[in-house]
Amino acid sequence: MNVFLDSHGLLDVVYEQAVKDGRHLWVLQADRDIIEWPGQYMVIVDSLTEVRPVWSPAPKP
């Protein structure tokens, strides 16, 4: 999954802005096939969980 994310720049919006500003970043692979609108965050949801975790506060009414 990490290789896929890196090779398409899915979470690289900050890196892409740095490159546009003229910086050279060694962490970026030269052969990437970047998507048109890279993002910065990924939200992962466990849809099989039926109980709210203790660390997750309930929404306020």
Side-chain angles (χ1 to χ4, degrees):
M1 181 63 142
N2 191 42
V3 171
F4 178 79
L5 294 173
D6 287 346
S7 64
H8 294 290
L10 294 173
L11 300 174
D12 291 351
V13 69
V14 175
Y15 290 142
E16 291 304 316
Q17 186 60 51
V19 169
K20 286 180 184 176
D21 292 343
R23 295 180 57 198
H24 173 74
L25 303 173
W26 64 269
V27 297
L28 300 179
Q29 300 172 357
D31 62 345
R32 297 182 316 144
D33 182 22
I34 304 165
I35 63 169
E36 190 172 352
W37 296 297
Q40 186 172 2
Y41 302 105
M42 179 186 323
V43 176
I44 300 173
V45 178
D46 182 357
S47 61
L48 295 178
T49 299
E50 296 179 8
V51 178
R52 180 179 294 277
V54 175
W55 53 262
S56 176
K60 296 180 181 179

